[in-house]
Amino acid sequence: MNQIPDRFDHATAAGQITEAWEKARCGHAEVNPDRKPFTIVIPPPNVTGALHLGHGLNNTLQDIVIRTRRMQGYEALWMPGTDHAGIATQAVVERRLKEQENLSRHDIGREGLVERIWQWKDQYEKRILGQLKRMGCSCDWERTRFTLDERCATAVRATFFDLFSKKLIYRGKRLVNWDTFLQTAVSNDEVENVTKKGHFWHLYYPVIAAKPGEPDRVEIATTRPETMLGDTAVAVHPDPAAALDKIEAELRQKRAEASEKDQADIDSELEKLAQRRESMLPQLLQLRDMALDGRKLMLPLVNREIPLIADEWAKPEFGSGCVKITPAHDPNDYEVALRAQLSMINILQPDGTLNREGGQYEGMTIPAARKAIVADLDKIGLLGDVEDRDIELPHSDRSKTPIEPYLANQWFVAMDELAQSAMDAVSSDKVEIFPERYRKGYLDWLGEKRDWPVSRQLWWGHRIPIWSQTGLGESDSQEIVQQLESLTDGNGGLSHRVDSTEDGTHHVFVCLRDEDDPREAKLEAIGFTRDPDVLDTWFSSALWPHSTLGWPNQTKELEYFYPTSALITSRDIITLWVARMVLMGLNNVGDIPFRQVFIHPKILDGNGETMSKSKGNGVDPIDVIDKFGPDALRFGLARLATDTQDVRMPVQYECPHCEKLIDQTKKNRALPRIDCPGCGKAFSTQWAETEADKSLLRGLVVSERFETARNFVNKLWNAARFSLMNMDGYQPQSVDVSSLPLEDRWLLSRLATVTKQVTEGVEHYRYAEVTRVLYDFAWDEFCSFYVEIAKPRLADEQQRPIVQSMMAHGLDTLLRLLHPTMPFVTEAIWEGLAGAAPKRGVPEPVAAADFAMIAPWPESNQSDYNESIEQQFAEFQEVVGAIRKIRASQNIPPRETVPVAIRCNPEAQSRLQPMKAYFAGLAGADVIELGPDAKAFETDAPLALTSIEMDVHVDLEKFIDVDAELSRLEKLLSQLIKQITGKQQKLGNDNFVSRAPAEVVDRERESLGDLQRQHESVQGDIERLRSKSKES
RNA sequence: GGGCGAUUAGCUCAGUUGGUUAGAGCGCCACGUUGACAUCGUGGAGGUCACAGAUUCGAAUUCUGUAUCGCCCA
């Protein structure tokens, strides 16, 4: 047995274990009427790139639950897969195309680009699934899905068709962040604001039919003068006086609380405000009245009449107090237009040049048009001042070009009823959300019931299955509808709607349910064209829990595994994903997608920032696995997963040459190569792109946070090693629990308690608690205590067999409890234990399962639980601790045995009597006196254990270091005095004595008495020692 | 601007319903290796529980406000 190495070689073992599990199909789940199902669908990671520690946490927590449930006898299915992630993936591939081949997506065309993205997807899907497997995730890999695969496509088409047929899908306009370079809309989080130097142009718009005394023109100011071509109103504040009052009040409030230095600044602001009130307010009031009276303005250059309106968006404290409204090209103006029901005029083409609405400027780029318009306004005397100014301009994160807000046709899903159904599911607790506080965000967001824009101007995704003809006259549209009837004839799967617009034209939209429907060609033959857009990536994600199980087919898997049991995810996608899964599940299947949702914390870096690829602070879990092992990664993450606190994880680069750890900082975190400050050699990072950098050795990115867990793996491994080395001659045997010695019954009791805590903990997602309980039990109780006590017993031929049975059983139970968190090391030990003790268990040994992974979950045997034994051992450990303290303070060499006397009441005496022998191994003590009459030694070192009413005395005859002992006792004395004074004060307080519960008061009195008794005794000891030291 | 959360030892975090001296791991100090484990063992030092009020006999814990940080939404 000595050939067992003293380290767990995870690098070798993990691969073999994974292979063995796969071969035995341990992670595979099948419809099985004999068992209850337990299902988790993975939040499918984006195929944009590799997984980082956040995914590591998410998947560890899922695996802990699914492994536990599998062991509990459920048919446990963890459905794996990946997400095509629309824009994120397309943008990554497009960027590479540009960088590496200098091609745009238009150069290679739709099919060409999509093919490239599939190649990318194949590469990253493989990498992601490989990462999950190395973490030990026990997914049912045979069922792996992708949100863009055929099965998901079928589900998407069926859903879209259903919603379209129910008239829940409609076409509308919406402002999007338009990237004129990539010619696509980008999402809000792909937009970054850049401060640039620009101008603030003041323009004048003439008033039509101004009444006497009214101004004949209004002044507005803008940073984007070319957008005036799309203006449909000018706004002035409806109550400028009140608005100014409010600002003034706020300033005064601020001033009252500000420092003197800031007060001066605020004073000057107040001054300006007062001037403004004087110079401009009358005019603003007049303009407001003109607006209410329906006055119109003439938009210069295009000569279009536009209304003057009153709207709060106009800020009386800024510029001229009037603001031009360009609804199609400014988000705030868009809101104004919705309120005032203004028309919206889009002046841009997708490539950023002006369209027909631009009139004489049609075809110009934005900068050219700006120049021309400013010059032309100047010519006709309508240009005022031009100020220099810093301007915050939104830029596309992907192309680094300015974003143009752009009003485009989009498909929407009407959310009213769908959202309500998803709200009801949570309000009624059919879907439970943990921690509960996240319910509010979910309900608030859904409560807005904002329609969901689902179209994206991209090529990577599920293409919208709509064919359309637009701008038709009424008779044409009627004729087309008739043609459609003949196509519909007898076949389902075709639905249409006709929209009529303000200008009297008609649009006909047709939706086809099935792919490869021969009617596609027929539609196109009669003039229909297919919508070029694809669906929002969340549309397919929303179907994930049922599409992966085969919906819309009524498969037996859907019947059995749906609704799924738990969803474990991160808080930032509660609305985008979780809410939409609920409403889509209810709409499609008629039932909720999952019963419970657990929201776990986020992993932040050392600066408290979330980890993300774009920041460069992501950590590859594989790096951590390489250094610490998969079990350490998992245990380390799980023990940090509390439900209140995000996880802060400072990380370091490890120099591959000298192993020096270099803190990751904001500066170095995105570098492709780093020069080691220790050895001076360079190494590469995950950002290495050039061949020169890539040829360097790569530095791992790791965190010392995983050391504790790695050490724990080692501790467990060595406890097992000790057990196995002492298993020679093991024979399975029935055990009569009632006749077992105390320490064995204590172990059984503790196992029962720990099993209960762990089981309940996992069932309530209390990961940090579960890992803490297991860590403390395994380390402090099983290893430091049971194993230590077992050592002398194993040497005793009589006791040896029972200790072997108990140890095999204890280890076996511990392995099973730890398996979901640390699958590899427990599986490896399980195999070793199978060799030494294939049949094991207390009271009746049974043959162990082939794998820990499929072993039955331990039952908490309540008859094993024995409170008094657990207390007794706590008492014993306290005495051991007291002896150790005295030994340490006296510098008694560890090999020396010291005589000890323990004074205690008769009850404690009978409890400790059977354990006298174990003081030797644990504290190097020979207990020569135990009981009420035990006396102090001549050369005595005492320590009182108040809480258990005991005095421990160590005989220092051979070891006395008077000075050391005196200083220990004096320190003790001063601590006692402090406590006594505190208690006396408390008990001297009438309020306390009269109002606190009698029980609390009694406890205080009792404890004061004990402290005083100790005080006296310690004082006596000090005096004795002093006189003794004088004698010698 | 609205909502949510956090603030406890040098660092990263626990702290159940208010009640003895507020805990753990890492780090630090001292001592210790002839067989499970130095990825170890034993002991020690280290905290005005962010700040200010309030409730209470008693507050890390409950309430109010302030500050700082983070996240989500506008």
Side-chain angles (χ1 to χ4, degrees), chain A residues 34-267:
Chain A
D34 297 335
R35 291 167 182 253
K36 282 189 187 170
F38 191 96
T39 317
I40 296 178
V41 292
I42 200 170
N46 293 345
V47 289
T48 327
L51 303 186
H52 55 68
L53 272 188
H55 299 100
L57 175 69
N58 176 248
N59 289 293
T60 295
L61 302 186
Q62 292 177 77
D63 199 38
I64 290 173
V65 170
I66 205 78
R67 281 182 185 271
T68 304
R69 297 298 186 168
R70 187 179 295 119
M71 292 171 76
Q72 284 178 332
Y74 290 88
E75 190 68 24
L77 169 62
W78 185 9
M79 177 72 74
T82 51
D83 194 304
H84 67 282
I87 188 166
T89 315
Q90 180 169 328
V92 169
V93 174
E94 274 193 71
R95 200 182 65 210
R96 280 172 64 93
L97 197 63
K98 188 80 195 167
E99 282 169 8
Q100 296 182 349
E101 302 172 48
N102 198 26
L103 293 173
S104 82
R105 77 168 191 262
H106 300 288
D107 295 325
I108 61 170
R110 186 161 187 150
E111 275 184 31
L113 183 80
V114 168
E115 193 181 314
R116 300 279 187 127
I117 306 176
W118 273 103
Q119 286 167 12
W120 174 274
K121 171 260 172 185
D122 288 341
Q123 183 191 340
Y124 272 93
E125 180 183 56
K126 207 171 143 202
R127 172 126 180 237
I128 289 166
L129 298 182
Q131 287 176 303
L132 291 173
K133 285 180 189 177
R134 281 204 63 193
M135 286 192 283
C137 295
S138 63
C139 302
D140 187 350
W141 301 110
E142 297 170 34
R143 297 185 187 272
T144 307
R145 302 243 65 90
F146 177 53
T147 54
L148 209 49
D149 67 14
E150 256 179 56
R151 181 176 281 188
C152 290
T154 307
V156 163
R157 292 283 291 254
T159 306
F160 194 88
F161 181 80
D162 171 58
L163 296 174
F164 185 88
S165 306
K166 289 176 178 162
K167 305 277 186 253
L168 292 177
I169 284 185
Y170 67 92
R171 197 171 84 146
K173 287 196 185 290
R174 185 169 188 259
L175 266 194
V176 294
N177 300 307
W178 192 257
D179 181 329
T180 56
F181 180 80
L182 294 171
Q183 297 196 21
T184 180
V186 299
S187 66
N188 284 337
D189 42 88
E190 287 162 318
V191 173
E192 53 178 5
N193 282 318
V194 180
T195 308
K196 294 218 161 164
K197 291 226 177 298
H199 303 286
F200 207 42
W201 282 275
H202 292 251
L203 316 177
Y204 299 103
Y205 292 177
V207 178
I208 298 172
K211 292 188 177 158
E214 289 179 354
D216 61 353
R217 58 187 202 179
V218 298
E219 181 185 345
I220 50 97
T222 177
T223 57
R224 297 191 302 160
E226 71 284 0
T227 61
M228 56 95 50
L229 298 172
D231 283 0
T232 56
V234 168
V236 62
H237 197 281
D239 191 352
L244 290 174
D245 287 348
K246 194 174 163 218
I247 292 161
E248 188 179 333
E250 280 166 4
L251 277 175
R252 293 204 181 280
Q253 177 71 24
K254 205 167 134 195
R255 188 187 185 283
E257 293 158 12
S259 65
E260 263 182 54
K261 194 174 145 230
D262 292 342
Q263 278 180 7
D265 292 343
I266 295 172
D267 283 341

Side-chain angles (χ1 to χ4, degrees), chain A residues 332-373:
Chain A
N332 292 306
D333 294 2
Y334 178 72
E335 296 291 329
V336 174
L338 288 182
R339 282 197 289 270
Q341 293 180 317
L342 301 173
S343 57
M344 307 188 184
I345 298 174
N346 185 1
I347 60 166
L348 288 177
Q349 316 214 53
D351 65 358
T353 60
L354 296 185
N355 65 18
R356 211 183 305 164
E357 296 286 352
Q360 68 221 64
Y361 308 99
E362 180 180 356
M364 288 187 182
T365 62
I366 289 164
R370 176 175 298 178
K371 209 170 158 187
I373 285 167

Side-chain angles (χ1 to χ4, degrees), chain A residues 863-875:
Chain A
S863 64
D864 284 346
Y865 175 65
N866 188 324
E867 195 185 353
S868 75
I869 291 186
E870 291 203 16
Q871 270 178 3
Q872 191 170 349
F873 272 72
E875 202 171 74

Side-chain angles (χ1 to χ4, degrees), chain A residues 900-919:
Chain A
V900 165
I902 302 165
R903 193 206 53 77
C904 60
N905 60 38
E907 293 77 38
Q909 177 186 8
S910 64
R911 289 197 296 264
L912 284 180
Q913 190 66 36
M915 306 166 89
K916 259 171 86 173
Y918 301 126
F919 283 102

Side-chain angles (χ1 to χ4, degrees), chain A residues 211-476:
Chain A
K211 292 188 177 158
E214 289 179 354
D216 61 353
R217 58 187 202 179
V218 298
E219 181 185 345
I220 50 97
T222 177
T223 57
R224 297 191 302 160
E226 71 284 0
T227 61
M228 56 95 50
L229 298 172
D231 283 0
T232 56
V234 168
V236 62
H237 197 281
D239 191 352
L244 290 174
D245 287 348
K246 194 174 163 218
I247 292 161
E248 188 179 333
E250 280 166 4
L251 277 175
R252 293 204 181 280
Q253 177 71 24
K254 205 167 134 195
R255 188 187 185 283
E257 293 158 12
S259 65
E260 263 182 54
K261 194 174 145 230
D262 292 342
Q263 278 180 7
D265 292 343
I266 295 172
D267 283 341
S268 86
E269 275 182 57
L270 280 167
E271 174 72 13
K272 273 186 206 153
L273 195 65
Q275 281 174 9
R276 198 172 174 86
R277 192 187 285 274
E278 195 164 328
S279 64
M280 295 198 61
L281 188 55
Q283 195 189 339
L284 288 173
L285 287 168
Q286 188 181 29
L287 285 167
R288 190 267 318 270
D289 293 340
M290 288 164 68
L292 296 178
D293 199 33
R295 208 74 72 248
K296 289 197 173 0
L297 310 173
M298 180 57 71
L299 187 65
L301 305 178
V302 272
N303 294 325
R304 183 165 69 232
E305 278 191 19
I306 58 172
L308 181 65
I309 62 166
D311 190 282
E312 293 189 352
W313 168 237
K315 303 285 176 222
E317 71 277 19
F318 285 131
S320 65
C322 296
V323 60
K324 64 195 269 303
I325 303 297
T326 322
H329 298 285
D330 182 279
N332 292 306
D333 294 2
Y334 178 72
E335 296 291 329
V336 174
L338 288 182
R339 282 197 289 270
Q341 293 180 317
L342 301 173
S343 57
M344 307 188 184
I345 298 174
N346 185 1
I347 60 166
L348 288 177
Q349 316 214 53
D351 65 358
T353 60
L354 296 185
N355 65 18
R356 211 183 305 164
E357 296 286 352
Q360 68 221 64
Y361 308 99
E362 180 180 356
M364 288 187 182
T365 62
I366 289 164
R370 176 175 298 178
K371 209 170 158 187
I373 285 167
V374 169
D376 290 349
L377 284 170
D378 198 13
K379 250 182 255 168
I380 54 176
L382 294 179
L383 180 68
D385 293 343
V386 181
E387 298 173 49
D388 288 334
R389 188 178 262 223
D390 287 339
I391 295 164
E392 287 253 304
L393 263 189
H395 277 64
S396 167
D397 205 25
R398 310 286 173 189
S399 68
K400 307 296 176 199
T401 53
I403 287 290
E404 296 298 333
Y406 180 100
L407 197 64
N409 281 319
Q410 304 284 331
W411 290 100
F412 289 83
V413 176
M415 287 295 277
D416 196 8
E417 291 163 36
L418 292 171
Q420 189 59 50
S421 70
M423 290 170 73
D424 294 344
V426 165
S427 314
S428 67
D429 281 337
K430 277 168 75 184
V431 175
E432 295 178 279
I433 299 178
F434 304 103
E436 217 185 320
R437 64 174 182 278
Y438 292 113
R439 276 169 60 117
K440 184 170 157 50
Y442 172 100
L443 291 172
D444 287 353
W445 186 81
L446 281 173
E448 292 181 26
K449 297 188 177 172
R450 285 211 301 230
D451 291 347
W452 176 12
V454 287
S455 43
R456 295 290 181 273
Q457 293 67 48
L458 296 171
W459 291 350
W460 176 243
H462 293 280
R463 191 160 170 187
I464 292 177
I466 285 183
W467 283 258
S468 58
Q469 295 202 49
T470 55
L472 301 166
E474 188 164 2
S475 60
D476 287 345

Side-chain angles (χ1 to χ4, degrees), chain A residues 987-1003:
Chain A
L987 285 164
N989 182 344
D990 286 342
N991 272 332
F992 172 69
V993 179
S994 59
R995 298 202 197 185
E999 184 189 304
V1000 174
V1001 177
D1002 286 347
R1003 206 160 56 222

